Amino acid sequence: MTTPLPDFALALPEIVLLAGACALLIFDLFARGERREGSVRFAGLVLLATAAATLFVLLGTGGALAYTFNGLYVADVMALLLKLGATLAVALALAYSRRYLHDRGLLKGELLALLLFALLGMMVMMSANSLLTLYLGLELLSLCLYSLVALNRDSPVSTEAAMKYFVLGALASGLLLYGMSMIYGATGTLTITEVARQVANLQANSAQHGFLVFGVVFLIAGLAFKLGVVPFHMWIPDVYQGAPTAVTLVIGTAPKLAAFAMAVRLLVNGLLDLAADWQQMLVILSVLSMAIGNITAIAQTNVKRMLAYSTIAHMGFMLLGLLSGVVGGNWLNAAEAYAAAMFYTVVYVLMSLGAFGMLVHLSGKGFECERLEDLKGLNRRSPWQAFIMLLLMFSLAGVPPTAGFYAKLSVLSATVAAGQIWLAVVAVLLSLVGAFYYLRVVKLMYFDDPAETAPALEGERDARVLLSANGLALLVIGIVPQPLMGLCFVAIKSL
């Protein structure tokens, strides 16, 4: 029996990115100048080439489902669109934080290489059709993020955050691996599509079914850690606060797209016939995340920590879409619900890029803009930047006509269509609680006097333009959400 040759063209984005990241390591050895202009431009070219390769594969396949590497790798519309989103997020994060990193002596070749390798891990996760491939991508991403958090070796806070992240991440990886081993023991395969076939053939009262459900519990635990939902959220506030703001910008954005892809591959592609079992777990995780995230964020005085608890609440909201797809064995609502969850995740990443990007932009040399007091009187110092921050806060709070409002509306509509009306009511009430701390930021910017220690606003012109486009994009998507929602629907239908 001969093994068919893999179709390398389907994995062209990963091949281009891997080759570019390795070339960057060599190129940086000969780069001169403290600002690392050459290395930054080289990294930008690699990201541009990766995006072009992704578009090439998307247009070449015509949106058709394709497998390669003996079924370990899948190229579908969802994976390719998420890859484009993750590439754009990393590129924007690099553009926003270039001056910040240079001022603190962190703009080095190893940081750029770690960013590219982290993106490679995300891409592998997005196209994984095997539990083993999924885990390899996850660990590549995780190891790069641990290193990025600890990159500022002179900061004890960053080192402590990296240690917490590493220890808790290792624990979550152990739980995930144990769950995968039980899935393999019950089905005899690591390929996700084969797992789905085996699960569909199991009897509901069989011993294998109980074994599978037990394994799903551990899978959900590992997945919950990567999403950052309660009760596996302990690392998020400490890591977000302890890491340099530019690194927090990376951790809080693109990896959420990879975590969403991981959830879809495991729960929708592989274990959809066990939806009645994992949906109940997601209900608990969702409600706890929205409650603890929104309520705890009110007490925070550090903006990064406040946005960390906001992340927990938003990921709980996103889970509403994932748990609303299949109701009582009825799959009619599945595509709409999962598309709403994907739309919510994409919009959340766009909002986080703007919010953390603005904090990076407002941070000067020797000054970290991370306390609520640092935003006082921003409207008097820079009315346009205050307006963009207002759009970002309104979108995070779900105020119309921003994209955040439509994202929440679409997820709530899917929840109501699934008959989970009580869950939708709880989500709305907790969203009202969460609106307080977002509107508090607006109040500080527009109605309070600037702090005496507030430095003069600097920042590169390119970053200002991109931040403006980021904020205005949320307004445009909120007014005309159909194109992006249509893409998400097509992506889910391609699975």
Side-chain angles (χ1 to χ4, degrees):
M1 180 179 177
T2 58
T3 303
L5 289 175
D7 186 356
F8 289 101
L10 294 176
L12 188 60
E14 286 85 353
I15 294 172
V16 170
L17 182 57
L18 176 60
C22 294
L24 175 64
L25 288 172
I26 299 173
F27 178 86
D28 189 70
L29 291 174
F30 304 97
R32 296 183 179 181
E34 293 183 1
R35 297 189 68 87
R36 283 294 194 273
E37 292 290 344
S39 298
V40 172
R41 290 197 185 98
F42 192 96
L45 288 174
V46 172
L47 292 171
L48 182 62
T50 302
T54 306
L55 281 173
F56 175 79
V57 175
L58 180 61
L59 297 175
T61 59
L65 189 65
Y67 296 95
T68 188
F69 299 107
N70 202 26
L72 299 179
Y73 181 99
V74 58
D76 54 21
V77 178
M78 186 194 78
L80 293 168
L81 288 179
L82 288 177
K83 287 176 187 179
L84 278 176
T87 305
L88 176 63
V90 171
L92 285 176
L94 184 58
Y96 291 163
S97 56
R98 185 169 58 181
R99 181 184 62 85
Y100 176 97
L101 292 169
H102 173 260
D103 289 345
R104 287 151 184 80
L106 298 176
L107 189 57
K108 302 174 182 177
E110 49 265 38
L111 178 138
L112 299 172
L114 285 170
L115 277 179
L116 296 182
F117 280 115
L119 178 59
L120 178 63
M122 297 178 219
M123 288 187 165
V124 172
M125 290 172 67
M126 291 167 183
S127 283
N129 189 46
S130 165
L131 300 179
L132 184 59
T133 312
L134 187 66
Y135 183 73
L136 287 174
L138 175 63
E139 286 307 297
L140 176 57
L141 169 62
S142 298
L143 290 172
C144 291
L145 294 184
Y146 301 152
S147 302
L148 284 172
V149 174
L151 201 62
N152 188 7
R153 292 171 293 180
D154 297 330
S155 170
V157 178
S158 294
T159 306
E160 180 186 355
M163 284 298 297
K164 289 179 180 177
Y165 193 12
F166 175 73
V167 172
L168 292 173
L171 177 62
S173 294
L175 293 174
L176 189 66
L177 271 179
Y178 188 61
M180 288 179 174
S181 68
M182 298 186 78
I183 299 294
Y184 175 71
T187 61
T189 181
L190 290 171
T191 307
I192 292 175
T193 49
E194 288 298 322
V195 168
R197 291 193 187 96
Q198 294 292 333
V199 172
N201 295 329
L202 287 180
Q203 299 294 326
N205 57 354
S206 66
Q208 278 181 300
H209 181 270
F211 198 63
L212 267 174
V213 173
F214 197 61
V216 169
V217 173
F218 287 95
L219 278 184
I220 295 290
L223 179 61
F225 177 87
K226 300 308 174 185
L227 285 172
V229 295
V230 177
F232 304 96
H233 66 293
M234 300 80 70
W235 63 276
I236 286 200
D238 291 335
V239 171
Y240 275 37
Q241 182 181 0
T245 309
V247 175
T248 305
L249 169 59
V250 174
I251 295 174
T253 52
K256 301 303 179 189
L257 296 174
F260 171 80
M262 177 182 174
V264 171
R265 297 298 181 202
L266 287 175
L267 302 180
V268 179
N269 284 8
L271 302 168
L272 194 58
D273 286 283
L274 295 177
D277 298 300
W278 54 257
Q279 278 174 337
Q280 302 306 313
M281 305 177 205
L282 294 190
V283 168
I284 298 171
L285 296 178
S286 176
V287 173
L288 287 177
S289 299
M290 289 187 292
I292 294 177
N294 281 318
I295 293 172
T296 312
I298 294 174
Q300 306 305 314
T301 57
N302 184 287
V303 183
K304 287 162 64 176
R305 202 170 182 87
M306 182 195 83
L307 291 174
Y309 283 106
S310 163
T311 296
I312 297 167
H314 280 287
M315 288 300 100
F317 222 100
M318 184 274 293
L319 289 181
L320 292 178
L322 286 180
L323 64 87
S324 302
V326 181
V327 184
N330 185 352
W331 295 11
L332 295 178
N333 192 46
E336 289 79 2
Y338 300 142
M342 181 177 175
F343 180 85
Y344 195 99
T345 307
V346 171
V347 169
Y348 170 75
V349 168
L350 197 57
M351 294 187 295
S352 287
L353 276 170
F356 286 111
M358 188 60 76
L359 294 182
V360 168
H361 184 66
L362 296 176
S363 297
K365 192 169 186 178
F367 171 74
E368 293 286 342
C369 180
E370 58 180 34
R371 298 177 304 157
L372 287 172
E373 290 78 7
D374 297 331
L375 296 172
K376 285 184 175 180
L378 181 60
N379 183 53
R380 300 186 188 180
R381 293 189 286 153
S382 176
W384 179 248
Q385 292 184 38
F387 174 69
I388 296 300
M389 192 65 167
L390 177 142
L391 285 179
L392 293 166
M393 291 297 107
F394 275 10
S395 190
L396 284 165
V399 176
T402 58
F405 168 75
Y406 188 82
K408 288 190 174 183
L409 180 63
S410 61
V411 168
L412 289 173
S413 298
T415 307
V416 172
Q420 303 271 22
I421 297 176
W422 71 270
L423 198 52
V425 172
V426 170
V428 170
L429 292 176
L430 291 173
S431 290
L432 292 175
V433 173
F436 170 80
Y437 54 86
Y438 296 122
L439 297 179
R440 179 175 58 186
V441 173
V442 176
K443 179 257 182 187
L444 290 172
M445 292 190 302
Y446 280 88
F447 299 104
D448 284 22
D449 295 325
E452 294 181 2
T453 56
L457 294 178
E458 300 174 359
E460 296 180 337
R461 183 166 175 249
D462 294 347
R464 286 199 298 271
V465 172
L466 289 172
L467 277 169
S468 300
N470 193 337
L472 294 174
L474 292 171
L475 189 60
V476 172
I477 293 173
I479 297 172
V480 190
Q482 289 81 9
L484 182 57
M485 178 58 88
L487 282 176
C488 293
F489 187 78
V490 170
I492 295 299
K493 292 291 284 185
S494 73
L495 296 175

